Amino acid sequence: MKMSTNAYVVTKEINKASLWKAKSLLLDSLDMELTERCNNNCIHCCINLPLDDMNAKNKELSSEEIKNILTEAEALGCLSVRFTGGEPLLREDFTELYLFARRLGLKVLIFTNATLITPQLVDLFVHIAPLEKIEITVYGMKKSSYEAVTRTSGSFEAAWRGINLLLEKKVPFVVKAALLPPNKKEMNEFEQWAAAIPWMNKPPSYAMFFNLRCHREEEKNGHIRSLRLSAEESLKVLTHRKDKYTKGMKEFCAKFTHPSGKKLFSCGSGLGSGCVDAYGDFQPCMMLKHPDCLYNLKTGSLKDALENFFQKIREKKANNPEYLKRCANCFLKGLCEQCPAKSWIEHGTLDTPVEYLCEVAHVQARFLGLIGENEKAWETKDWKKRINNFINN
Amino acid sequence: MEKKIDINAIYKPSEDVVARDVQGEFIIIPIASGVADMEDELFSLNDSGKAIWDKLDGKRSLKQVVEKLALEFDAPKEELEKDVFGILKELLKRRMLVEG
């Protein structure tokens, strides 16, 4: 065997590391909901529990349990962990968990409202970088709108203090927004401000099709439904950069738009990724908390869940006649956010059409010229021709 | 000015990086900021780079590393020494190694 004369060290951009994708790692990224508790009380939130919910706190995974999960994730080749919540910075052991993950060689993506970012945390991020841009959701550009969403006095100042600390010490972060009645008139102001953030290399993303409570709390769901943009309003937001939207949709439709048949899982849930909830249940994706889809990590392993449990879930087929008539035959499947998780949170089953999402997909399809005014996409037989016409014009 | 590397010096991986073998790809991940040229990059060593890295254990001198490599690789010692010095420069530039 001869020594190679090639360069010894090759640099690769982490976010484009095709080597993992190509080799189909059992686990390449992991989501961890460190807590469901939050110091805000946002009007649209699908998961938050009160800050002082001791019942929830007592059930949360311990530091050691989280470290054991992270250690197994690393051994399976995982490169990146997302710490989310609730508000992940609420965990008293956040710094300990962050350092542990980074020292394992994991990149850490933090989803936060920024209100709990302290000078000490910023110093930590400066010296031991997460290697992923922190993601911050902004709820308004004014105290009145922000706190009308968060229902938490002082949260506006706290978030801006956190954001300014990151800016001052040049810790990379990006911002996104939840478009809600109290703040939706501030979209332009938000975009102008976001564009000046040095690490925003594309326009901010918006949440507007708010998920219902992921534990199916019907008493709170009515209010969340009332906050959603109408399908027409959402189209205005999606198409406010019309050329970019149309170009993106052409690329997307060329790859993903086709009927999915009886198979329920056409997304990548549970393939090389998954979400550990605050209490140790491992689920294929963050929103899918259907009891049949939860794997208890206190009595099992990530490996077993990924190799066996998730595979079985992914084989599930639809039985609901309405789903089989509509969603299974609908060529807008890729455009539509209908999925087993959304079906679960809306209807308590994995295979019930979600009318709101159906409406949003149809409004977009009409805008793109894929269907006519009163057409239903699942009744369209010549969908291939329509897609071809759309992507080639 | 570039520091001259002494063949009798001993080096070991810096505590500011983590080396991981992910499905046969040997990668070095920065832990402390400023280790890499750019924060958003990871570093991958080829087979010969990994063979050298594995021997930089804070106990062997570079001379001993070359001797050990000579037992494993069919190459003249001068060539191996050149390879070791080559990777040393790359890794030291990125602060991935420290003197042991």
Side-chain angles (χ1 to χ4, degrees):
Chain A
M1 188 179 171
K2 282 188 181 289
M3 291 293 276
S4 163
T5 54
N6 295 334
Y8 309 102
V9 183
V10 181
T11 63
K12 290 180 179 169
E13 284 183 47
I14 292 174
N15 294 330
K16 292 176 188 166
S18 56
L19 64 123
W20 285 278
K21 300 288 175 208
K23 289 175 183 174
S24 302
L25 274 180
L26 192 58
L27 183 66
D28 61 40
S29 64
L30 181 69
D31 292 329
M32 294 207 72
E33 288 171 351
L34 294 183
T35 177
E36 292 188 343
R37 294 173 298 120
C38 187
N39 55 332
N40 282 341
N41 181 23
C42 292
I43 53 178
H44 63 290
C45 188
C46 65
I47 192 165
N48 69 316
L49 295 175
L51 170 70
D52 55 359
D53 185 330
M54 293 313 288
N55 183 38
K57 191 177 180 188
N58 291 337
K59 284 194 302 178
E60 287 170 5
L61 290 174
S62 68
S63 314
E64 284 314 304
E65 285 168 326
I66 293 173
K67 287 178 185 176
N68 288 341
I69 292 168
L70 292 170
T71 302
E72 191 195 352
E74 187 276 337
L76 295 175
C78 182
L79 186 68
S80 177
V81 63
R82 170 163 52 180
F83 284 158
T84 181
E87 172 50 52
L89 300 184
L90 265 185
R91 289 270 314 205
E92 285 146 15
D93 57 358
F94 177 83
T95 297
E96 181 185 344
L97 297 174
Y98 173 81
L99 280 171
F100 187 83
R102 288 296 293 113
R103 285 182 180 136
L104 281 174
L106 296 166
K107 298 186 296 171
V108 179
L109 172 58
I110 302 163
F111 274 20
T112 178
N113 59 30
T115 57
L116 298 173
I117 290 175
T118 59
Q120 293 74 21
L121 263 184
V122 172
D123 273 349
L124 175 68
F125 299 147
V126 166
H127 291 107
I128 299 186
L131 298 184
E132 292 275 19
K133 291 171 192 167
I134 294 168
E135 292 197 19
I136 298 169
T137 305
V138 175
Y139 301 108
M141 297 302 290
K142 298 178 175 65
K143 182 176 171 64
S144 56
S145 54
Y146 191 101
E147 294 185 1
V149 173
T150 63
R151 296 183 289 197
T152 306
S153 176
S155 56
F156 177 76
E157 290 85 356
W160 248 255
R161 193 165 52 238
I163 287 168
N164 286 331
L165 281 169
L166 295 173
L167 277 171
E168 199 181 300
K169 293 291 176 84
K170 299 183 172 58
V171 175
F173 69 93
V174 294
V175 291
K176 51 199 177 179
L179 274 188
L180 287 152
N183 66 27
K184 63 185 176 190
K185 286 186 182 151
E186 297 167 4
M187 196 172 145
N188 289 338
E189 191 186 343
F190 170 67
E191 293 218 346
Q192 278 176 16
W193 170 74
I197 295 171
W199 308 280
M200 289 291 291
N201 51 15
K202 58 182 181 185
S205 61
Y206 296 96
M208 53 189 161
F209 309 128
F210 304 110
N211 290 322
L212 301 186
R213 298 289 293 180
C214 59
H215 292 296
R216 309 208 66 251
E217 295 142 87
E218 201 45 52
E219 69 281 5
K220 292 185 178 175
N221 283 343
H223 186 56
I224 296 177
R225 281 194 186 95
S226 75
L227 298 169
R228 289 169 165 172
L229 296 189
S230 70
E232 286 74 21
E233 278 180 309
S234 73
L235 183 68
K236 276 187 199 159
V237 176
L238 290 169
T239 59
H240 83 289
R241 288 184 185 84
K242 191 180 164 191
D243 292 347
K244 194 169 182 290
Y245 169 77
T246 307
K247 185 172 176 280
M249 279 295 124
K250 284 185 179 184
E251 289 166 9
F252 186 83
C253 287
K255 287 183 191 164
F256 302 112
T257 307
H258 55 78
S260 61
K262 284 184 177 180
K263 202 170 182 302
L264 277 173
F265 288 84
S266 51
C267 61
S269 293
L271 284 180
S273 65
C275 175
V276 181
D277 79 2
Y279 318 109
D281 279 327
F282 191 31
Q283 48 200 64
C285 84
M286 214 177 275
M287 292 310 297
L288 188 51
K289 295 183 189 292
H290 186 292
D292 292 352
C293 300
L294 304 180
Y295 179 97
N296 186 353
L297 285 175
K298 291 187 176 177
T299 54
S301 65
L302 291 171
K303 186 169 189 283
D304 181 43
L306 289 157
E307 279 182 343
N308 303 307
F309 186 73
F310 286 178
Q311 297 303 322
K312 281 190 189 133
I313 290 172
R314 289 187 56 82
E315 286 165 13
K316 281 184 186 289
K317 303 257 190 314
N319 292 314
N320 180 341
E322 192 62 13
Y323 184 100
L324 294 173
K325 178 184 147 197
R326 292 167 50 176
C327 305
N329 294 311
C330 184
F331 78 100
L332 302 182
K333 181 66 183 154
L335 267 181
C336 182
E337 289 200 17
Q338 169 81 34
C339 69
K342 300 289 169 70
S343 172
W344 154 251
I345 54 177
E346 298 267 342
H347 298 294
T349 70
L350 296 175
D351 59 356
T352 307
V354 178
E355 293 302 335
Y356 174 65
L357 300 177
C358 182
E359 206 183 318
V360 168
H362 275 72
V363 163
Q364 287 189 68
R366 278 197 285 278
F367 175 83
L368 297 170
L370 290 168
I371 55 170
E373 198 51 41
N374 295 311
E375 261 187 309
K376 299 295 181 196
W378 58 86
E379 292 168 350
T380 307
K381 302 293 174 212
D382 63 341
W383 61 269
K384 278 187 189 167
K385 191 174 147 196
R386 295 182 191 212
I387 294 284
N388 277 334
N389 285 344
F390 170 57
I391 60 181
N392 293 317
N393 285 327
Chain B
M1 203 176 101
E2 203 171 272
K3 191 182 164 190
K4 197 166 181 286
I5 297 171
D6 178 357
I7 191 76
N8 293 310
I10 296 172
Y11 288 92
K12 65 179 181 185
S14 162
E15 288 180 0
D16 292 339
V17 297
V18 171
R20 293 180 58 188
D21 192 337
V22 181
Q23 289 201 348
E25 186 88 24
F26 191 75
I27 56 173
I28 302 175
I29 299 166
I31 301 298
S33 300
V35 171
D37 295 336
M38 285 175 64
E39 281 185 352
D40 273 355
E41 285 189 342
L42 61 85
F43 301 85
S44 177
L45 294 188
N46 66 13
D47 288 346
S48 48
K50 180 179 182 302
I52 296 169
W53 174 276
D54 285 344
K55 291 166 185 62
L56 297 168
D57 58 1
K59 292 173 191 158
R60 295 185 184 95
S61 68
L62 295 181
K63 193 177 173 187
Q64 288 168 319
V65 169
V66 172
E67 282 162 4
K68 183 96 175 137
L69 287 167
L71 298 174
E72 293 173 29
F73 293 91
D74 176 22
K77 274 196 183 170
E78 300 72 43
E79 203 176 297
L80 291 171
E81 192 174 302
K82 203 172 133 198
D83 280 343
V84 170
F85 276 51
I87 193 168
L88 250 287
K89 279 181 192 161
E90 292 270 355
L91 295 172
L92 285 171
K93 189 172 75 184
R94 292 179 167 86
R95 293 173 41 204
M96 290 176 171
L97 289 176
V98 292
E99 286 199 56

